Amino acid sequence: MLVTASNSESDEPYRQTCEDALSAAAADPSFGLGEAEAKRRLTEYGPNELDAPPPRPEWLKLLAQFTDILVLLLLAAATISAAVWWHEGEAELPYEALAIFAIVILNGLLGYIQEARAERAAAALRQLSAMRSDVIRDGARTSIASADLVPGDIILIAEGDTVPADARLIQSAALQTMEAALTGESLPVSKDIAAIPDRVEIGDQRNMLFSGTTAIYGHGRAVVTATGMRTVIGRISGMLEKAPDEATPLQKELGRVGKVLAVTVVLIAATVIATILLLSEVRGFSRTVDVMLLGVALAVAAVPEGLPAVVTAVLSLGMQRMARSRAIIRRLSAVETLGSATVIASDKTGTLTKNEMTVRRIITASGCANLSGTGYAPNGQVELREAEPSDGLLQFEILRALTAAERANNALLSEREEGWVVHGDPTEVALIVAARKAGLLTEALDARFGRVGEVPFSSERKLMSTIHRDAERPERLVLVTKGAPDVLLVHCTHELVGQDAVPLTDARRIEIMTSNEALAEEALRTLGVAFRSLPAKLSEGGQFEEAMERELVFIGLIGMIDPPRLEAREAVGRAKAAGIRCLMITGDHPKTASVIARELGISMDDEVVAGAEIQAMTDEELDRTVRKVSVYARVNPEHKLRIVQALQRTGETVAMTGDGVNDAPALKAADIGIAMGVTGTNVSKEAADMVLADDNFATIVAAVEEGRAIFANIRKFLRYLLSSNIGEVMTMFFGILLAGTIGLSGAGIGGLALPLLATQLLWINFVTDGAPALAIGVDPADDDVMSQPPRPLDEGVMTGRMWVGIVFVGVVMATGTLLVLDGALPGGLIEGSGTIAYGQTMAFTTLVMFQLFNVFNARSDELSAFQRPFRNRWLWLSVALSLMLHAGAIYMPFLQKAFSTVSLSISDWLLCIAVASSVLWLREIEKVVMRRLDPGDAGAGSLDLDPDHVDAS
């Protein structure tokens, strides 16, 4: 789609010079806006957001709870029942119809509350993952919510950022953006700051940045010219149709299960109605209405039509818990997939390590220097260690090395009241701190070496260069380069010795790389620094290219350490215990990667595969490699993608971390893409399924545990709900089919004899499918959740083992309920002497108690219900609430009339409880039998230690 510019005058920002654009916006490029002025403009222009569709009114959300076809049929039948009462006037009030109306309304309110909770949880997650922007406010760099941007704000855009608003570029360092969403142009667009005198289309406005586009290379500074609906994307938003939310695989499966159950139950309900009409002497219109009402009530009570909505609520609430643990889930499907992860492929820096880089050693031609101090406070000493007396040569080389490192740098270090504040890459911050320890201040270096250009870092080149004027030697420019030592040496022809550049011999290259290996053996991350002089006239063109990175003078090696996180080793151990293999994929030196991997327990051997080796491998060779190798070094994003694809081809479910623009393909290809919340780019976050708010590997493992717990709770919820509903259906179906056998056929009035009434079925559905079901959905994680192997990705939420348990419980419930009913009525298999109302009340109470006992059964298909039974206080509270509600239906006179119940004695209650508890004891016996028949399901003992799935180390 091609978007053209609107009718514009000469005051269009792209036609103005940088100075005019800043003046028009009343903005200062170095100070930015003051907070007070920013707030005033936010009030004037509104938030930087596109207009969203108006929210659905609350009354419509509530009304939607009553639009299900079965609920409408039930309401229609209840209305007819009320009309029959009004016509015949047999009772004081239409108690049955009123009870049905009340239960339907209460169920609707419960559904509305569940939906509202899910929406609030989703809104909270959106707030957590809201985009932020770097701006200059009150003369300081800060990060604010993108929604708070206003015209006149000075924004800082770097590689990987999503442009948050339309803006006029005022500084650019090889900045390139992708604008395909606006112009249809699939190639990157190079940006510059020059004014464009003529009117041009959007795609030719090279000095403008547009909201929603992405910076893929370089960096720049711009003044915001339009926000919200005033941006180009805002003007065309009316033409964009919001894509509907796609259901997750779990929601789709539950939808299919729900439909199958609905069809089955409706057929059973129709059979029940037909059986009653054929076998019972139903006389009169009112009795026929009662039969129809019963059939519809049975369908409503037994069909779990709210399954997808309740599961969504459980997922959303679980995602909120994960967010509080610093793992922000961006897609519901990721929660399902987390429990199936068999491999976690993680970056090293900042994820497995602390991301607190500190320069420890500098090696130059004349010796080395050790630096003391840790962290980002520039407190420490530089201790020179000369190989031999060098008359100050080493000191000069060290200062030159730190000067080059400080200049080839985009990080910021500033001291505020709360301490030292950093912005930018931790490696670059560490270099600034080291320079300060040597007495090199940024302000002084800016005064002599002002930057005029940059060749930005790229993961493919592994180099970064900046170009500076030399105030003391104006006839020249200085290019300084930093990067991977092995890569940098290829571009060097000389080496700095004291103040002289001497030819770099092959012998010295070997010595430098030997020193590099020695630093890596000490787990130090290494960088090389170099420089060259350029003619001053090159600055006139303003274009600086990679080709300038040649004939460099090598200055030295800088070794820095990023110590492993203390919690990372424990997290790696927990992941391995859960059958999850951990891989380290890093751009660092192979020796450094090997040392850190061994220290963390990722790999106990020294086998490391480098990116160059991956490049040379065929897919088949890489497939064999990823089965046994756990450490990969000197890799680029293309290698990451190939590793992910190879792991997937070998049957693994892969969680992959990434933070850069070029990591996006690997993050999308992974089963679970994990972006870094602190150091990650907006592009990587958009591509990811999960964002780590603390960039910590331990958070990934904690998220896997929470994901497994959420999925387990959904299974508990389904196990409870479906077994209880099947118990109700079986009770009604076999109660009517065996009416003559259990003494029910002669107990009815007017030829109609039923095990339970329609109102009683609906009450059971309300009392037991409400609070207890939700409480089991938030059950704490089982102790063995991280001792189990990963769940196969193709394994559905409903397994054969689950269905066996569900049907078994349903049979036990129906059998026990009908036996109690039989024992309460005259005749049948067990002689009794009660009335039909007494018998139905006993059956009613027994079935409720069955379901309340069953809620403890449903917590596991394998583990005993008596293992830590008091962990979930909400479950006990919900059971107590259900008991109180049911007692009200038994003893309160108004509810007795509504539900046709009679008061029960203590002995009656004890009988109901004793029979209902059988579902607990029988299920416990069945679990023991199943564990003995299939010990692989017993828990931790089932862990798969196949070397193809678990690192042999």
Side-chain angles (χ1 to χ4, degrees), residues 470-489:
D470 186 347
E472 296 184 3
R473 298 176 60 184
E475 75 279 4
R476 72 164 188 167
L477 300 176
V478 180
L479 178 143
V480 289
T481 303
K482 74 174 191 296
D486 51 342
V487 177
L488 181 61
L489 277 174

PDB file of all heavy atoms in Angstrom, residues 470-489:
ATOM      1  N   ASP A 470      40.119  16.274  15.382  1.00  0.00           N
ATOM      2  CA  ASP A 470      41.152  16.431  16.396  1.00  0.00           C
ATOM      3  C   ASP A 470      41.398  17.934  16.555  1.00  0.00           C
ATOM      4  O   ASP A 470      41.967  18.584  15.667  1.00  0.00           O
ATOM      5  CB  ASP A 470      42.438  15.720  15.960  1.00  0.00           C
ATOM      6  CG  ASP A 470      43.510  15.735  17.035  1.00  0.00           C
ATOM      7  OD1 ASP A 470      43.361  16.502  18.013  1.00  0.00           O
ATOM      8  OD2 ASP A 470      44.492  14.982  16.902  1.00  0.00           O
ATOM      9  N   ALA A 471      40.951  18.493  17.682  1.00  0.00           N
ATOM     10  CA  ALA A 471      41.056  19.937  17.886  1.00  0.00           C
ATOM     11  C   ALA A 471      42.507  20.409  17.885  1.00  0.00           C
ATOM     12  O   ALA A 471      42.792  21.559  17.535  1.00  0.00           O
ATOM     13  CB  ALA A 471      40.372  20.329  19.200  1.00  0.00           C
ATOM     14  N   GLU A 472      43.442  19.546  18.259  1.00  0.00           N
ATOM     15  CA  GLU A 472      44.850  19.938  18.286  1.00  0.00           C
ATOM     16  C   GLU A 472      45.529  19.742  16.942  1.00  0.00           C
ATOM     17  O   GLU A 472      46.613  20.310  16.703  1.00  0.00           O
ATOM     18  CB  GLU A 472      45.587  19.139  19.373  1.00  0.00           C
ATOM     19  CG  GLU A 472      45.093  19.443  20.789  1.00  0.00           C
ATOM     20  CD  GLU A 472      45.899  18.722  21.849  1.00  0.00           C
ATOM     21  OE1 GLU A 472      46.881  18.024  21.482  1.00  0.00           O
ATOM     22  OE2 GLU A 472      45.549  18.839  23.041  1.00  0.00           O
ATOM     23  N   ARG A 473      44.924  18.923  16.093  1.00  0.00           N
ATOM     24  CA  ARG A 473      45.483  18.703  14.750  1.00  0.00           C
ATOM     25  C   ARG A 473      44.335  18.773  13.741  1.00  0.00           C
ATOM     26  O   ARG A 473      43.840  17.745  13.262  1.00  0.00           O
ATOM     27  CB  ARG A 473      46.199  17.364  14.685  1.00  0.00           C
ATOM     28  CG  ARG A 473      47.387  17.267  15.635  1.00  0.00           C
ATOM     29  CD  ARG A 473      48.015  15.885  15.617  1.00  0.00           C
ATOM     30  NE  ARG A 473      48.512  15.527  14.296  1.00  0.00           N
ATOM     31  CZ  ARG A 473      49.041  14.343  13.982  1.00  0.00           C
ATOM     32  NH1 ARG A 473      49.129  13.404  14.935  1.00  0.00           N
ATOM     33  NH2 ARG A 473      49.460  14.088  12.763  1.00  0.00           N
ATOM     34  N   PRO A 474      43.857  19.973  13.417  1.00  0.00           N
ATOM     35  CA  PRO A 474      42.664  20.132  12.580  1.00  0.00           C
ATOM     36  C   PRO A 474      42.816  19.616  11.156  1.00  0.00           C
ATOM     37  O   PRO A 474      41.807  19.477  10.445  1.00  0.00           O
ATOM     38  CB  PRO A 474      42.427  21.645  12.590  1.00  0.00           C
ATOM     39  CG  PRO A 474      43.739  22.244  12.965  1.00  0.00           C
ATOM     40  CD  PRO A 474      44.406  21.266  13.858  1.00  0.00           C
ATOM     41  N   GLU A 475      44.046  19.315  10.740  1.00  0.00           N
ATOM     42  CA  GLU A 475      44.232  18.831   9.376  1.00  0.00           C
ATOM     43  C   GLU A 475      43.839  17.367   9.210  1.00  0.00           C
ATOM     44  O   GLU A 475      43.839  16.836   8.099  1.00  0.00           O
ATOM     45  CB  GLU A 475      45.696  19.012   8.948  1.00  0.00           C
ATOM     46  CG  GLU A 475      46.680  18.022   9.557  1.00  0.00           C
ATOM     47  CD  GLU A 475      47.117  18.408  10.978  1.00  0.00           C
ATOM     48  OE1 GLU A 475      46.591  19.417  11.515  1.00  0.00           O
ATOM     49  OE2 GLU A 475      47.973  17.697  11.549  1.00  0.00           O
ATOM     50  N   ARG A 476      43.471  16.726  10.289  1.00  0.00           N
ATOM     51  CA  ARG A 476      43.143  15.301  10.193  1.00  0.00           C
ATOM     52  C   ARG A 476      41.872  14.948  10.962  1.00  0.00           C
ATOM     53  O   ARG A 476      41.414  15.694  11.843  1.00  0.00           O
ATOM     54  CB  ARG A 476      44.294  14.454  10.733  1.00  0.00           C
ATOM     55  CG  ARG A 476      44.427  14.517  12.257  1.00  0.00           C
ATOM     56  CD  ARG A 476      45.284  13.413  12.808  1.00  0.00           C
ATOM     57  NE  ARG A 476      45.251  13.361  14.272  1.00  0.00           N
ATOM     58  CZ  ARG A 476      45.703  12.364  15.001  1.00  0.00           C
ATOM     59  NH1 ARG A 476      46.230  11.303  14.408  1.00  0.00           N
ATOM     60  NH2 ARG A 476      45.622  12.390  16.323  1.00  0.00           N
ATOM     61  N   LEU A 477      41.306  13.806  10.597  1.00  0.00           N
ATOM     62  CA  LEU A 477      40.257  13.137  11.358  1.00  0.00           C
ATOM     63  C   LEU A 477      40.864  11.878  11.962  1.00  0.00           C
ATOM     64  O   LEU A 477      41.847  11.325  11.433  1.00  0.00           O
ATOM     65  CB  LEU A 477      39.075  12.751  10.466  1.00  0.00           C
ATOM     66  CG  LEU A 477      38.327  13.868   9.735  1.00  0.00           C
ATOM     67  CD1 LEU A 477      37.251  13.267   8.838  1.00  0.00           C
ATOM     68  CD2 LEU A 477      37.706  14.846  10.721  1.00  0.00           C
ATOM     69  N   VAL A 478      40.287  11.428  13.048  1.00  0.00           N
ATOM     70  CA  VAL A 478      40.730  10.182  13.679  1.00  0.00           C
ATOM     71  C   VAL A 478      39.585   9.188  13.661  1.00  0.00           C
ATOM     72  O   VAL A 478      38.476   9.488  14.128  1.00  0.00           O
ATOM     73  CB  VAL A 478      41.186  10.419  15.133  1.00  0.00           C
ATOM     74  CG1 VAL A 478      41.637   9.094  15.766  1.00  0.00           C
ATOM     75  CG2 VAL A 478      42.328  11.423  15.178  1.00  0.00           C
ATOM     76  N   LEU A 479      39.841   8.021  13.095  1.00  0.00           N
ATOM     77  CA  LEU A 479      38.878   6.917  13.133  1.00  0.00           C
ATOM     78  C   LEU A 479      39.332   5.950  14.206  1.00  0.00           C
ATOM     79  O   LEU A 479      40.492   5.507  14.194  1.00  0.00           O
ATOM     80  CB  LEU A 479      38.806   6.233  11.773  1.00  0.00           C
ATOM     81  CG  LEU A 479      37.873   5.015  11.659  1.00  0.00           C
ATOM     82  CD1 LEU A 479      37.194   4.982  10.296  1.00  0.00           C
ATOM     83  CD2 LEU A 479      38.612   3.694  11.878  1.00  0.00           C
ATOM     84  N   VAL A 480      38.442   5.643  15.160  1.00  0.00           N
ATOM     85  CA  VAL A 480      38.751   4.655  16.195  1.00  0.00           C
ATOM     86  C   VAL A 480      37.770   3.501  16.063  1.00  0.00           C
ATOM     87  O   VAL A 480      36.575   3.702  15.823  1.00  0.00           O
ATOM     88  CB  VAL A 480      38.691   5.262  17.612  1.00  0.00           C
ATOM     89  CG1 VAL A 480      39.862   6.202  17.824  1.00  0.00           C
ATOM     90  CG2 VAL A 480      37.389   5.992  17.858  1.00  0.00           C
ATOM     91  N   THR A 481      38.317   2.296  16.211  1.00  0.00           N
ATOM     92  CA  THR A 481      37.520   1.084  15.990  1.00  0.00           C
ATOM     93  C   THR A 481      37.693   0.149  17.174  1.00  0.00           C
ATOM     94  O   THR A 481      38.803  -0.009  17.706  1.00  0.00           O
ATOM     95  CB  THR A 481      37.973   0.365  14.709  1.00  0.00           C
ATOM     96  OG1 THR A 481      37.868   1.262  13.603  1.00  0.00           O
ATOM     97  CG2 THR A 481      37.106  -0.855  14.435  1.00  0.00           C
ATOM     98  N   LYS A 482      36.588  -0.458  17.586  1.00  0.00           N
ATOM     99  CA  LYS A 482      36.656  -1.512  18.596  1.00  0.00           C
ATOM    100  C   LYS A 482      35.858  -2.703  18.088  1.00  0.00           C
ATOM    101  O   LYS A 482      34.924  -2.562  17.285  1.00  0.00           O
ATOM    102  CB  LYS A 482      36.125  -1.051  19.951  1.00  0.00           C
ATOM    103  CG  LYS A 482      34.619  -0.918  20.067  1.00  0.00           C
ATOM    104  CD  LYS A 482      34.237  -0.599  21.518  1.00  0.00           C
ATOM    105  CE  LYS A 482      32.749  -0.705  21.759  1.00  0.00           C
ATOM    106  NZ  LYS A 482      31.932   0.257  21.024  1.00  0.00           N
ATOM    107  N   GLY A 483      36.226  -3.902  18.562  1.00  0.00           N
ATOM    108  CA  GLY A 483      35.501  -5.086  18.127  1.00  0.00           C
ATOM    109  C   GLY A 483      36.203  -6.354  18.533  1.00  0.00           C
ATOM    110  O   GLY A 483      37.165  -6.349  19.318  1.00  0.00           O
ATOM    111  N   ALA A 484      35.723  -7.478  18.006  1.00  0.00           N
ATOM    112  CA  ALA A 484      36.302  -8.779  18.319  1.00  0.00           C
ATOM    113  C   ALA A 484      37.765  -8.795  17.866  1.00  0.00           C
ATOM    114  O   ALA A 484      38.061  -8.457  16.722  1.00  0.00           O
ATOM    115  CB  ALA A 484      35.522  -9.878  17.613  1.00  0.00           C
ATOM    116  N   PRO A 485      38.710  -9.155  18.748  1.00  0.00           N
ATOM    117  CA  PRO A 485      40.138  -9.073  18.399  1.00  0.00           C
ATOM    118  C   PRO A 485      40.505  -9.834  17.137  1.00  0.00           C
ATOM    119  O   PRO A 485      41.278  -9.330  16.311  1.00  0.00           O
ATOM    120  CB  PRO A 485      40.831  -9.656  19.633  1.00  0.00           C
ATOM    121  CG  PRO A 485      39.881  -9.380  20.757  1.00  0.00           C
ATOM    122  CD  PRO A 485      38.526  -9.539  20.159  1.00  0.00           C
ATOM    123  N   ASP A 486      39.980 -11.062  16.972  1.00  0.00           N
ATOM    124  CA  ASP A 486      40.347 -11.834  15.792  1.00  0.00           C
ATOM    125  C   ASP A 486      39.863 -11.174  14.510  1.00  0.00           C
ATOM    126  O   ASP A 486      40.522 -11.237  13.469  1.00  0.00           O
ATOM    127  CB  ASP A 486      39.820 -13.264  15.907  1.00  0.00           C
ATOM    128  CG  ASP A 486      38.339 -13.318  16.248  1.00  0.00           C
ATOM    129  OD1 ASP A 486      37.790 -12.298  16.717  1.00  0.00           O
ATOM    130  OD2 ASP A 486      37.711 -14.387  16.062  1.00  0.00           O
ATOM    131  N   VAL A 487      38.703 -10.527  14.583  1.00  0.00           N
ATOM    132  CA  VAL A 487      38.174  -9.831  13.410  1.00  0.00           C
ATOM    133  C   VAL A 487      38.938  -8.528  13.186  1.00  0.00           C
ATOM    134  O   VAL A 487      39.298  -8.178  12.051  1.00  0.00           O
ATOM    135  CB  VAL A 487      36.670  -9.546  13.589  1.00  0.00           C
ATOM    136  CG1 VAL A 487      36.130  -8.748  12.403  1.00  0.00           C
ATOM    137  CG2 VAL A 487      35.896 -10.848  13.751  1.00  0.00           C
ATOM    138  N   LEU A 488      39.203  -7.798  14.264  1.00  0.00           N
ATOM    139  CA  LEU A 488      39.869  -6.500  14.148  1.00  0.00           C
ATOM    140  C   LEU A 488      41.278  -6.636  13.577  1.00  0.00           C
ATOM    141  O   LEU A 488      41.714  -5.807  12.756  1.00  0.00           O
ATOM    142  CB  LEU A 488      39.912  -5.832  15.525  1.00  0.00           C
ATOM    143  CG  LEU A 488      40.552  -4.440  15.597  1.00  0.00           C
ATOM    144  CD1 LEU A 488      39.788  -3.452  14.735  1.00  0.00           C
ATOM    145  CD2 LEU A 488      40.596  -3.950  17.043  1.00  0.00           C
ATOM    146  N   LEU A 489      42.005  -7.671  13.979  1.00  0.00           N
ATOM    147  CA  LEU A 489      43.382  -7.839  13.511  1.00  0.00           C
ATOM    148  C   LEU A 489      43.466  -7.970  11.994  1.00  0.00           C
ATOM    149  O   LEU A 489      44.466  -7.571  11.385  1.00  0.00           O
ATOM    150  CB  LEU A 489      44.015  -9.065  14.180  1.00  0.00           C
ATOM    151  CG  LEU A 489      44.597  -8.842  15.579  1.00  0.00           C
ATOM    152  CD1 LEU A 489      45.048 -10.159  16.180  1.00  0.00           C
ATOM    153  CD2 LEU A 489      45.750  -7.846  15.549  1.00  0.00           C
TER     154      LEU A 489
END
